[in-house]
């Protein structure tokens, strides 16, 4: 296939929710990964979580907060209730990185190919602990930020939506069934002209 892609898991969602919960809403995310960096991830629980059904599915697959939202975080909190706050954030951060490594390994076992480069986008690029965990766990893969390709981290979503709008205007398909699992490719969005 010329294009493959899939959602591999929670990304920063669980970490962000946990930081907000632990800080009683005063923090929204782990700035620079400082909280996670001051804790110790629990590898045993991470390996246990990686056995969950979503992580055993082959691509294409998609997920979001319906699977990895507040209810999921509460369930995980029950399992790690004896951890310090720092260890909770460290474990969730390392879990996110472990999910990425697990998915690359899973993909390699199915397709017999391994990506040589992993390009990170979004707020996680600034989480130095997350970045370090991803590099440590994704052996043999060059890990970069979109900013190293000249795309400002803050511009990622705006650039994506601009591209989707351009594809709509040009009548190009904006989705790939190989990535989303959709039944067919489609032109996405609706064009609304000022009236």
């Amino acid at each position: 296939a010329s294009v493959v892609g899939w959602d591999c898991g929670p990304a920063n969602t669980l970490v962000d929710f946990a930081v907000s919960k632990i800080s009683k809403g005063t923090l929204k995310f782990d700035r620079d990964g400082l909280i996670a960096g001051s804790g110790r991830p629990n590898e045993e629980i991470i390996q246990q979580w990686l056995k969950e059904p979503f992580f055993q599915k082959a691509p294409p697959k998609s997920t979001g907060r319906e699977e990895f939202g507040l209810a999921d975080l509460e369930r995980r909190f029950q399992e790690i209730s004896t951890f310090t706050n720092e260890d909770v954030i460290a474990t969730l951060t390392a879990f996110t990185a472990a999910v990425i490594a697990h998915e690359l390994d899973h993909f390699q076992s199915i397709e017999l190919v391994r990506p040589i480069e992993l390009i990170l986008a979004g707020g996680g690029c600034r989480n130095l602990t997350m970045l370090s965990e991803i590099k440590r766990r994704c052996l043999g893969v060059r890990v970069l930020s979109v900013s190293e390709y000249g795309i400002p981290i803050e511009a990622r979503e705006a650039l994506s939506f601009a591209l989707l709008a351009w594809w709509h205007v040009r009548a190009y398909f904006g989705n790939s069934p190989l990535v989303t699992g959709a039944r067919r490719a489609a032109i996405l969005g609706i064009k609304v002209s000022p009236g």
Side-chain angles (χ1 to χ4, degrees):
S2 59
V3 174
V4 292
W6 65 96
D7 284 342
C8 62
N12 285 327
T13 302
L14 294 177
V15 176
D16 292 348
F17 282 158
V19 167
S20 182
K21 177 181 174 75
I22 288 167
S23 72
K24 297 182 179 17
T26 61
L27 300 173
K28 300 295 181 203
F29 61 94
D30 183 9
R31 184 175 301 279
D32 300 326
L34 294 175
I35 300 169
S38 65
R40 290 183 48 163
N42 184 299
E43 288 300 326
E44 186 178 328
I45 199 81
I46 290 169
Q47 293 309 311
Q48 180 183 319
W49 289 346
L50 287 174
K51 293 175 184 169
E52 294 171 7
F54 180 82
F55 305 117
Q56 307 316 307
K57 290 182 191 175
K61 59 183 177 177
S62 183
T63 191
R65 290 182 181 193
E66 70 283 351
E67 182 133 12
F68 298 108
L70 287 171
D72 182 58
L73 178 67
E74 290 303 325
R75 180 185 62 80
R76 292 184 199 283
F77 262 62
Q78 297 293 322
E79 297 178 40
I80 57 178
S81 62
T82 60
F83 291 16
T84 66
N85 290 341
E86 293 78 12
D87 289 353
V88 166
I89 302 304
T91 299
L92 290 170
T93 300
F95 174 56
T96 297
V99 164
I100 294 167
H102 170 80
E103 290 292 314
L104 291 176
D105 291 344
H106 193 215
F107 179 71
Q108 183 177 4
S109 73
I110 296 168
E111 295 293 328
L112 304 178
V113 67
R114 185 169 182 89
I116 57 172
E117 208 168 61
L118 180 62
I119 302 168
L120 305 176
C125 292
R126 290 200 175 92
N127 183 322
L128 302 180
T129 304
M130 176 88 64
L131 193 57
S132 173
E133 284 288 334
I134 292 170
K135 287 179 178 180
R136 183 174 75 79
R137 292 169 188 271
C138 296
L139 300 176
V141 178
R142 186 173 178 224
V143 179
L144 304 164
S145 164
V146 292
S147 62
E148 294 176 73
Y149 280 95
I151 300 170
I153 294 168
E154 303 81 14
R156 176 196 49 138
E157 284 189 9
L159 182 61
S160 297
F161 281 102
L163 181 61
L164 287 170
W166 177 244
W167 284 348
H168 178 86
V169 168
R170 302 294 297 172
Y172 295 147
F173 295 138
N175 71 328
S176 170
L178 294 172
V179 173
T180 63
R183 288 188 298 267
R184 63 180 175 76
I187 297 168
L188 301 178
I190 297 170
K191 180 180 175 187
V192 178
S193 300

